[in-house]
Amino acid sequence: MKRRLLALLALFSLAFAAHPGQFMILSFRGAEPPTQLIERYRPAGVILFPSNLAEDPVGMVRELRRRYPDLLVLIDQEGGPFFSYRAPGVPRFPAAMALAAAGDPELTRAVGRAIGQEVAYLGANVDLAPVLDVNVNPKNPIIGLRSFGADPEGVIRHGLAFARGLEEAGVLWTAKHFPGHGDTQTDSHTGLPIVDKPLEAIERVELAPFRAAVRAGVPVIMTAHILYPALDPDAPATLSRKILTGLLREKMGYDGLIVTDDMGMRAISDRWGAGEAAVRAVLAGADLVLVGRGGGTAEAVYAALNEALTSGRIAPERAAASERRLQAARARLRPPAPEPDWKALAALNLKAARAGVTWLAGELPIPGAGTLVVAPRVRATWGAEPSLAELAPKYLPGAHYQVVGEVPSGSDITAAATRAKKFDRIVLGTYHWLGRLPEEQVWLYQALVRTGKPVYVVALGNPDDYTYLDPAPAGYLVTYGYRAAQVRAALEALSGSFVPGGKLPVPVGPFPIGSGIGR
C-alpha cells in the first residue's frame, strides 16, 4: 500500500509540474541564442536551421548549451541536400542514396560517425537522421536522395549503420518519417499525402525499417503527416492514436521519444491549425511537437497545450509519461565534443563520393581534349557548390566548359549547342532531386544531341534523369548529389582516375536495383 501511495505521489508531482513547454521543440530567428524565447516558453528543445548558423555557429550553440544544459538541440544533418551546419571547412557528405550505392555498411557507419562528430562539435545533441523511408516512388516530392533506396533490407542495413555512427559520436539519432514517406506523390509541406496500399505491403515495406530501429534502441522517432487508410482511415499518422500508440507504442514496443514533423506544415495546419493539431498529436502519443518555420506559431501551440493541460484534456498521467521519456533522453546527452580532424573527414568525404558513383552506360574513360562540359550551377537553397563545368578543367585535363542555369534559358541552350559543334564529345550535367527533371534541361539535352556529337550525361541528383532522355545518352554516370566531392569524383571517373563501382539502390528505367558496370 505504501509503495503504491508513493508511486501515486510521484505521478502527481510530475503532473503538477507539467507545463506546455515540455512538449515543444521551437525554431527561432537570427544567429543569437534565443534567450527570450526559451525563458518565455521553457521548451524541451530548439531546432537549428542554416540561418541560425550563419555567423558564429559553434559559439552560439555552445552558449545555448551553457545556459540551458538540459535543452535538446536538434539539427537536420543527414548528408546530401539536408545539411544545416555548412560552415567553411565542414565537409558536406553525400546523401543516403549515394552511401547505399557504395554498398559498404562500414563506410556508411564511418560517414554517420563523421557527421555525428560535426554535430557534436557544433554543440547540438539530436540529429534528425537517418531517413528510414523506403523510396519506392521515383516521383516522390520530398524524399528522393535522402532515402537509402527502394529495398527495405538495404534501408535497414545502411540506415542502422549510419545510426551506429551517430551513436559513436555521442549524438542521439532519429528514425524518420514514421510510418514511411517513401511512396507519396504529395509534399506534406503543401498538402496531405495519402498512401493507400494494403496492410501487408505496408508491413513488408514501410514499417520494416522502423521495426528494425525499435529493436536497435532508437532514442527518437519522427512522425509523418501522412494518411494511411489501412492503418487509420480518419487521421494522419502524426495525429493518430491508432498509429502512434496502438501500432508504435503497443504493437512495436517503442518507449522512446516521439517527435512530430513541423506542425506548421500545410498537411496539418490547413486542416486543424497548429495549436489544435499539437494537442491532438500529444493525445495520439507524441511527446514533442515541432514548431518549425512552416507557419505554426509558438504562441498558438503553447496556448492550446496550456488549455488542454488545465482542462484535463491532456491527462496528468499522459503528461507524466512524456516527461519521463524526456528525462531519459536528457540523461543520455553529452557535452559538446572537441574539434574533429577536418582533413580526415574531408578524405572520408571524397572516399564516400567516389564509392557511390554509379556507371550505367557507355565507355570509360573519355579524353579531356576535345570535350565540352556543360552543367548547371545549382541554386544555393541547399548550400552553394561549384559546378561540374567549372571543375572540369582541373579533374578532366584539357576539357572546356560552359555553365548554364539550373533551369537553362533559351540563350543558355543556344550558346551551348553552338559551342558543342566545335568539340568531339559533350558531357552534360543534369540535376534534380525531387519531382521530375525540368523540361528546360531536357530541351538542352536534345539540342546537344542534334549536333551529332556523342553526349555523356552525369546525373548530379536523382538517378532517374535517364528516363527523361530520348534518345539514350552515349554514356551515363550517377553521383546522387552535386556536392563538390561528388562532382570531383564524377570527373575523375570520366578521366579514368578510378573505375566507378557503385550499384543502383533504386530502379532506373531499364536498369534494375543493383545495376552498375564497374564492379
Side-chain angles (χ1 to χ4, degrees):
M1 182 67 182
K2 182 178 181 182
R3 184 179 300 174
R4 183 180 179 188
L5 179 60
L6 289 173
L8 288 172
L9 287 172
L11 181 64
F12 177 78
S13 176
L14 278 173
F16 186 79
H19 64 94
Q22 78 174 60
F23 296 105
M24 297 173 68
I25 301 291
L26 299 182
S27 62
F28 60 98
R29 298 184 182 276
E32 298 293 328
T35 306
Q36 291 184 334
L37 188 80
I38 293 172
E39 295 294 340
R40 179 176 182 180
Y41 295 112
R42 292 187 294 155
V46 297
I47 182 169
L48 303 173
F49 290 106
S51 59
N52 304 129
L53 304 173
E55 296 177 10
D56 176 19
V58 173
M60 187 277 287
V61 178
R62 290 184 176 221
E63 175 61 16
L64 190 61
R65 292 286 304 279
R66 186 192 67 81
R67 295 185 186 184
Y68 307 103
D70 288 338
L71 194 70
L72 300 183
V73 181
L74 288 68
I75 189 170
D76 276 305
Q77 199 82 346
E78 298 175 6
F82 274 53
F83 223 72
S84 294
Y85 179 29
R86 305 173 182 171
V90 176
R92 301 175 186 181
F93 285 89
M97 195 172 287
L99 299 177
D104 181 357
E106 283 306 308
L107 177 61
T108 301
R109 179 177 181 174
V111 170
R113 182 167 56 246
I115 289 177
Q117 289 171 340
E118 294 174 348
V119 171
Y121 169 64
L122 174 67
N125 46 38
V126 180
D127 192 4
L128 296 174
V131 169
L132 295 187
D133 303 312
V134 183
N135 199 61
V136 293
N137 187 341
K139 300 299 187 290
N140 195 306
I142 192 59
I143 302 301
L145 302 174
R146 302 165 66 193
S147 168
F148 289 100
D151 171 32
E153 289 304 314
V155 172
I156 292 169
R157 186 163 56 250
H158 288 280
L160 295 190
F162 189 97
R164 286 194 297 272
L166 290 176
E167 283 185 337
E168 290 165 359
V171 174
L172 299 186
W173 57 286
T174 306
K176 65 184 188 185
H177 306 81
F178 182 81
H181 213 314
D183 197 12
T184 60
Q185 297 195 56
T186 301
D187 180 356
S188 50
H189 290 83
T190 60
L192 179 63
I194 300 175
V195 178
D196 195 1
K197 58 199 300 186
L199 179 60
E200 184 276 331
I202 297 168
E203 290 278 358
R204 177 171 43 84
V205 178
E206 277 80 7
L207 293 180
F210 293 99
R211 290 189 186 280
V214 171
R215 290 193 297 269
V218 58
V220 185
I221 290 180
M222 174 177 274
T223 69
H225 302 330
I226 299 176
L227 186 69
Y228 271 83
L231 301 178
D232 186 337
D234 302 314
T238 295
L239 309 184
S240 170
R241 182 171 175 80
K242 291 180 181 178
I243 293 175
L244 298 190
T245 297
L247 174 59
L248 183 55
R249 293 279 189 219
E250 296 173 356
K251 291 184 180 179
M252 295 172 65
Y254 178 62
D255 194 37
L257 285 173
I258 297 176
V259 59
T260 72
D261 209 338
D262 183 0
M263 299 307 288
M265 291 161 62
R266 294 183 63 182
I268 294 294
S269 62
D270 279 3
R271 289 162 175 77
W272 293 277
E276 172 61 18
V279 174
R280 291 186 179 216
V282 172
L283 293 174
D287 302 296
L288 300 172
V289 173
L290 177 58
V291 187
R293 302 183 300 178
T297 66
E299 184 59 41
V301 170
Y302 185 92
L305 289 170
N306 188 51
E307 192 281 330
L309 286 168
T310 302
S311 67
R313 185 180 175 193
I314 297 177
E317 56 271 23
R318 175 67 195 84
S322 286
E323 178 65 16
R324 174 182 58 78
R325 296 186 190 105
L326 178 59
Q327 294 302 334
R330 283 171 169 161
R332 298 177 61 175
L333 301 183
R334 298 187 192 176
E339 186 168 9
D341 181 343
W342 297 118
K343 288 185 178 180
L345 266 58
L348 175 64
N349 187 26
L350 182 57
K351 177 181 178 181
R354 287 172 174 158
V357 176
T358 303
W359 173 22
L360 292 176
E363 297 294 326
L364 293 180
I366 65 170
T371 298
L372 175 67
V373 179
V374 181
R377 178 176 289 109
V378 178
R379 290 168 293 181
T381 304
W382 308 102
E385 299 284 350
S387 168
L388 176 83
E390 292 170 312
L391 291 183
K394 184 174 182 180
Y395 298 109
L396 187 60
H400 294 252
Y401 72 94
Q402 179 165 337
V403 178
V404 297
E406 186 179 327
V407 179
S409 64
S411 59
D412 281 338
I413 294 172
T414 299
T418 300
R419 284 195 71 196
K421 296 174 183 177
K422 303 175 183 178
F423 292 86
D424 299 323
R425 69 199 62 80
I426 302 124
V427 172
L428 173 64
T430 58
Y431 172 76
H432 86 293
W433 73 274
L434 296 174
R436 57 172 293 125
L437 185 67
E439 60 182 358
E440 291 84 355
Q441 291 191 41
V442 176
W443 297 340
L444 172 60
Y445 171 75
Q446 293 170 340
L448 294 173
V449 168
R450 285 195 294 269
T451 67
K453 306 300 173 70
V455 180
Y456 294 77
V457 170
V458 178
L460 299 167
N462 196 309
D464 76 344
D465 289 359
Y466 189 96
T467 64
Y468 299 95
L469 306 178
D470 185 23
Y476 194 69
L477 283 179
V478 179
T479 64
Y480 311 94
Y482 71 102
R483 297 299 185 198
Q486 294 171 288
V487 168
R488 172 180 171 177
L491 292 165
E492 289 176 337
L494 290 170
S495 73
S497 296
F498 74 99
V499 177
K503 300 293 184 183
L504 281 177
V506 293
V508 172
F511 305 106
I513 291 175
S515 296
I517 293 174
R519 188 172 63 203

